[in-house]
Amino acid sequence: MTLTDRTDAAARKILYGGDYNPEQWPREVWDEDAAAFAEAGIETLTLGVFDWAQLQPSEHEFDFSQLDAIIEHVVATGRSFVLATATGALPPWLAHQHPEVTRVDFQGRKHRYGQRHNHCPNSPVFRRLSPALAGRLAERYGNHPQLVAWHIGNEYGGFDGGCWCDNCGIAYRVWLRERYGSLDELNRAWNATFWSHTYGDWDEIVPPNILSEHWRGPNHTAFQGNTLDYLRFMSDSMLRNYLDEKAAIRAHDATTPATTNFMGMFRPLDYQRWAEHLDFVSWDNYPPGDREHARMALTHDLMRGLKQGDPFWVMEQTPTITASRDVNPVKRPGVLRLWSWQSVAHGADAVLYFQMRQSPGACEKYHGALLDHAGRTDTRSFREAAALGAEFERVGDALLGARTPARAALVFDWNSWWASEITDGLNRHLAYPAVVQAYHRALWQAGVDLDVISVHDDLDGYDLVVAPQLHLVQNDVAERMRAVAERGGTVVASALTGRVDASDNAFLGDAPGPFAPLFGVRVEETDSLPPGEVNGVRWADGVEGSASLVFELLVPEGAETEAVYEHDFYAGRPVVTRNAVGSGEAWYVAAHADDAALARLFAPILERHGLVGPYAGAHDLEFAVRQGTGGRFAFLLHHGLEPVEVIAHASGVDVLTGARIEQGQTLTIAPRDVIVLRED
Amino acid sequence: MTLTDRTDAAARKILYGGDYNPEQWPREVWDEDAAAFAEAGIETLTLGVFDWAQLQPSEHEFDFSQLDAIIEHVVATGRSFVLATATGALPPWLAHQHPEVTRVDFQGRKHRYGQRHNHCPNSPVFRRLSPALAGRLAERYGNHPQLVAWHIGNEYGGFDGGCWCDNCGIAYRVWLRERYGSLDELNRAWNATFWSHTYGDWDEIVPPNILSEHWRGPNHTAFQGNTLDYLRFMSDSMLRNYLDEKAAIRAHDATTPATTNFMGMFRPLDYQRWAEHLDFVSWDNYPPGDREHARMALTHDLMRGLKQGDPFWVMEQTPTITASRDVNPVKRPGVLRLWSWQSVAHGADAVLYFQMRQSPGACEKYHGALLDHAGRTDTRSFREAAALGAEFERVGDALLGARTPARAALVFDWNSWWASEITDGLNRHLAYPAVVQAYHRALWQAGVDLDVISVHDDLDGYDLVVAPQLHLVQNDVAERMRAVAERGGTVVASALTGRVDASDNAFLGDAPGPFAPLFGVRVEETDSLPPGEVNGVRWADGVEGSASLVFELLVPEGAETEAVYEHDFYAGRPVVTRNAVGSGEAWYVAAHADDAALARLFAPILERHGLVGPYAGAHDLEFAVRQGTGGRFAFLLHHGLEPVEVIAHASGVDVLTGARIEQGQTLTIAPRDVIVLRED
Amino acid sequence: MTLTDRTDAAARKILYGGDYNPEQWPREVWDEDAAAFAEAGIETLTLGVFDWAQLQPSEHEFDFSQLDAIIEHVVATGRSFVLATATGALPPWLAHQHPEVTRVDFQGRKHRYGQRHNHCPNSPVFRRLSPALAGRLAERYGNHPQLVAWHIGNEYGGFDGGCWCDNCGIAYRVWLRERYGSLDELNRAWNATFWSHTYGDWDEIVPPNILSEHWRGPNHTAFQGNTLDYLRFMSDSMLRNYLDEKAAIRAHDATTPATTNFMGMFRPLDYQRWAEHLDFVSWDNYPPGDREHARMALTHDLMRGLKQGDPFWVMEQTPTITASRDVNPVKRPGVLRLWSWQSVAHGADAVLYFQMRQSPGACEKYHGALLDHAGRTDTRSFREAAALGAEFERVGDALLGARTPARAALVFDWNSWWASEITDGLNRHLAYPAVVQAYHRALWQAGVDLDVISVHDDLDGYDLVVAPQLHLVQNDVAERMRAVAERGGTVVASALTGRVDASDNAFLGDAPGPFAPLFGVRVEETDSLPPGEVNGVRWADGVEGSASLVFELLVPEGAETEAVYEHDFYAGRPVVTRNAVGSGEAWYVAAHADDAALARLFAPILERHGLVGPYAGAHDLEFAVRQGTGGRFAFLLHHGLEPVEVIAHASGVDVLTGARIEQGQTLTIAPRDVIVLRED
């Protein structure tokens, strides 16, 4: 029941298409659409994402006539479809008749009907009606030969990221009872003696928000243990919504794979906990800026890593502009192609758009689409999309199912993200994703094939494991990282690692807690400075790179000092250390290091393991590999704005152009151009 | 029943005076006041603006004794009065006994008693009690020979701009039924298929605020159609409050003109829809900064245009400082006189102050007044006010009723303001008033006599019609602008024009929608960039000016290219185009243009129509004309800080000094000096 | 019943210790603690600050067993203790069973259980239960020989600073009745005629917050009189909480001194009104930055002044880092010692920490402590704390009870703070504490021994009285300041002085109101300019210093002009004046003056009175004196980062080192070093 098991024609190429809402348009437009789809090489359409009101006009009335007609039209024009369960937005009658279904926000305000992603995940009526609708859809359309996948809900956690109503309070207390068993255990876990918080009755516990434990915002809480549990609980609550609907589908359709569209580095949901319940991962790629290739590379890797390297889908991207930013620049010429191939390079087997035709009204009416309000196919953006569609057709099934041959891994951990950002007493300017990005960028710039994994994943296959700011420790990951080093590998950690246990209580010993023996250091003090104040990183042969924001003062306990602070009262004290462990090494970086410091740090490590990519010196030229039954494919993605000259690392054929490339040949790659080299 | 019909002495000069609150002071102060008024040439006093609590101490009790005494005193000292209906602030008992009367704000919070402008416009009790009070006042004081005008309510829409309570919800649904007739029509207008919003029952509709369709603030809405209708509804609701009171007055006083004080470019209220219900327009001139002469010129023109050029009143301005800003600088010497004459130059027949004597306490105690807390008449500010009063006396009735002889018009449209600022997907840094101001400033700097009109106004008299960012199109204005060009005139439009219909649904064709044929262009893409990133505007002979924020990529369909973009991937594509239409021209500006680009744009247009003013080259020297039975008056207003030398454009007499000026004579105008030349 | 009456051993030295929460730890840790305390010279521990939930597990159940054990342990290891009443945070059951007890915040939101300082001060149930607990504690532990003091509540006013619930509304109306007697008097005091606010029934009055009189925030109010009264009322309400508990203690323990921990320049509470009810003042010293020595000097002086120069306690400071800032830098080496001795120099007889051992969990887990999570005593921070403890032991009781021999006074006034910051119409960038700090800094830099006093304090002993921005005048302070000048002293005032009476109504005459005759000036206008726009201050011999933010235009009425404005239309008008009064002088500064202008201003004044300290020229070298039965002690505190050389002003012994110093000897003081010279 995974995607790659499928044998139907639609799946024999990189899927191309996207969200299609013909219900907003008269019938005559549908034929225009189909002609444009043919011109653009589009074969896969996602249907019905926000159709609840149409499918169920009132609580006891269903109407599938329009969806029948749409599917009939899609199928008749030879296309496959992804079917949504339509529960991403409530219909007005539901909120009107069952006010409990809407959310109470972090500010404690009860919401009325509006927007989307607008249900309380613990609303009994939502939990009754949403799977009921999903079941009816599965009963009617499940097992359709051109149904590619189920799209359950939509962008779970969108807006505000949760609910703090009394129904959530009830469900939270049930969740806490299951987690802790007793109030004594909960009081201990939350360190409730502090500030007189010892609970004597479960009912005394209320959701932590601005009306209870929080001030200023979601990251400022009096009780980290409570807030951390609520984050977990809320992620689990929405996962249960997903599972409710999936179970209802499975009652009628045992085989069509099911997914929901993730949102990359999205803090509210612990996708690593969700992923096992998705038959394949899909995500919506809306980078916040237009020079985000490094960030997207990480996010693709993260999404691929959720299911241990299985290919994923880009469920949404915009062909032109977004509508939700303050400023919405168009994608420059070539960017759509470049970014689409980047997603394939990192493991995507489908590249889909939001959306096929621009909405006439409401808040996404200016969001880009394959077809604009005039339905033109003679625009730059349509031409670029059609050219990309032609490339996907040309490449066919060669890449499907191919995997990244990574020997390096980066650990990403939602619990450490949450815990390090909700804590008081460190530096609130230090964002967990920024730290992870810095380490990922260092490896990505060096062209290292890389997996982004969770603390629960197997580390056996990796020569290098980098775990930046693994603040919260919830299992034996320290021992498993030691094993990597013991057998000759390298492990790397950074400041603020190993500070708290799964309940966010400090380890009562030296930091980095369970990691201290592995890295051979202890932290005596932790200094913090405002953004902009930096300290130099001095190596044996001089200063290279700088440190900022947090500065741990280490006492080596076995480790060698590789670099020291240049300034302040701790000048000369170690900032980078290396500990020999077995036949391998454990490196520790005691501050927030910049790109130069990290490049210097990784140079000998990558050298030792032979991990450096062939084009590491070429700035903005991304290199990635996928390997499968169709062969080994090297992707050269040029994000720079000037042409670049490189020497081909291997011989083969560029599957985009059919051109033959010989190893050692000089390649001149134009700005935003792409080569996909099937190596001989 | 208009002002200019009046024949009493008070009206035979530019009215001078302002808000007078003797009820805050003991009787002995009243005589001091009268002596100061005489010294300052003040003859008109606005009474009772916030007297509800005094006039009606409880629901069934009225007490007019103090107001009787005040009016008696005012009348006895030979002055006229404007009488307020006293409903601008609720008395405490009303809010206490009828909690429904207070507002629910945009955040959804029910307010208690406090501040002013504090009633829900759809409160049944307010709609009962406010006209009842107005009626009683009219019964008692209506038709008084020295009553100049009725001042209904006060600054409608002040604070927050509206209410979102359940009474408003009820009234909103009635308003929507009247507008749309059926839910099908409403669902179509709001594009409700999007995000599952199809309404099945009117009662499912709730006011759009932060608890329903909005996030972040009033401009971030999931459903533009709903929010746009609520803006219209709220403006209409307050207009109904005004009309309730006006009708109550008219039952007793059929002739005294009635007004309410507008607030210039005030977004919450569509003054163009209100104006027909005012017997004359009045407004409160509190510029946000102290170098705002260009902005005030536009605002005066806008206020004058509300009633097709009829003279208006400045109902309030401060003689010295405001109290409500974060920083409240004093008006520099000469500024009060300069700005007062500027208002007359643009059509004011009355120049009034808030207020006569500084309040002892509460939030306006530091707001400037004719008389300070010490009641001194030997201060700079009193002397300047008295000198101005003397000038008004000297000028007498010469200017009353005189009109601006404009052949150019600028279109200002509340619906486009609302629609362009609540939309997603464009550039949120592009404020509608800033765009309109840029075009107005270009014409104002050139000394063009200019009307600011609505899309409903007749265009017949104009050689030039400029309609910046006319985003929402609600009638046949495109056809009427075409007619201007056909008969030899010039029309000008700018980026984001013609995008949506009256329901904020995109035109399903090329932008600029109904304007596309007139301007001979279509928009292929719309780029947006952050503030500070600019693109040069290249004309045939070089770069002049720049563009920022939004950048439409045009495909000319008949138009000539006058200027192109200098940079980016659309370098060389048109940014300014000119389309020959009949014997006239239609110019289109595809981006947000700076002052230099607009000056260059308008130079040939103004030349062609002979619209350039005589002092266009003299920076900061404003030129304006009023023409009436008293003659043709040219105003030279020098806003600069250095003396300026110019050659007199005509012969005549400076009515402020009595000095004779000959055409061709060199005039040296001191900083902040004013000449009012009655041309021979 | 004051501290200095105590004769037990513990009090015979500067007290050293702090908050101790062994209830968060297993018993075995307690012995480790005691050993570390011995090593660090710690003899005083504050117990039970947040123990309500443990002491009273439910409404009718008390459990003192753990506290018994803790006290037993503390006492057995030879230490004294301060006992808290444990009411600084509610137990969960109290909020759950009596929802009335939690606060309604300024936004009008009812809070649920969470955080600390979380009770409504006017909650009947809190007023019943909190003194009941305090009484039980006093009954059990009062009069214990090693009980040093009672610590009532904790940091009153923490978070949000108040409550706006209906119980507060009821209590507020009672408070208002007591203050005003009649509604007529209240309406007059609040100038209620303005904006129709005349109250006809007490019940019409509601707490002023964002749902009634406020907008934007706590400083933006429509009615200053109401808001000012609410500030007073809320300060009084919390004082009543303190008094409730103190009375309950006194029923069982008549002698142990009682205090609560103040927070320095903390706006919500008028500590000058509280102080008489504390047996000694204590406060928590958490400077917002790490270069705050001048600000701390002022705050120490303010705290000392609350009880007319009696020694005070530093109840809390952090040994290393805080946890509540966005960025939490460690205290640099030497800073802990330097700042601790600074507090002693300004009158502290106790220097205590928050806290003894770092909490394992919740929001203060990273707040610094004597012992870190690992319990190490080999850290830099522990070593510095222990060295300081050794110094305190060495110095013994020499300094106890010694007082500052000040002949200069600075007036600090909570009412002026409130009134000047909640007003409209001045400059919202002008913060009262910043003004006071500027004047204090000028005197502090000159090494002037200085008291910070209230407007109610006796002025007889002072040669110089500086009263910056004494905006609100509530008593005969103007007459008493005149008396200072009459007898040959000097008084200094600054812009915005003498503007309003105790009800925040403007004086109906020339500013500075009752001070006008004393300073011999009147204010004709008050200009305001944005931050960054400055005007030069021109003295007879040239420009020295500058003025910003507010600029009063003075008319001298007897005063001599000492300096004039350099720019703007008021160039040449006085900015600094001096009025001869009796044998003394009254100086007025008409704008917000910078450090250079104030240094210039004070130079002749300090000269005249012989007030300049011996090291006035040495930058960053603080000089302070305490004088008592143990002798006269001169403190030299070097806040600079480079060594400084000075000539010793007197002979004596440095009690920290035992070194002999001779007058005239060159002293080289290292950065952050301290000398405490017992003068011969």
Side-chain angles (χ1 to χ4, degrees), chain B residues 106-122:
Chain B
F106 177 76
Q107 310 286 334
R109 300 175 300 200
K110 172 67 176 173
H111 280 236
R112 311 180 78 171
Y113 181 71
Q115 304 184 53
R116 62 172 175 176
H117 309 135
N118 44 10
H119 73 274
C120 162
N122 292 296

Side-chain angles (χ1 to χ4, degrees), chain C residues 110-132:
Chain C
K110 171 67 176 171
H111 281 236
R112 310 179 78 172
Y113 181 71
Q115 304 183 55
R116 62 172 174 176
H117 309 136
N118 44 11
H119 72 274
C120 163
N122 292 297
S123 154
V125 71
F126 183 82
R127 295 200 58 208
R128 175 168 59 83
L129 294 179
S130 68

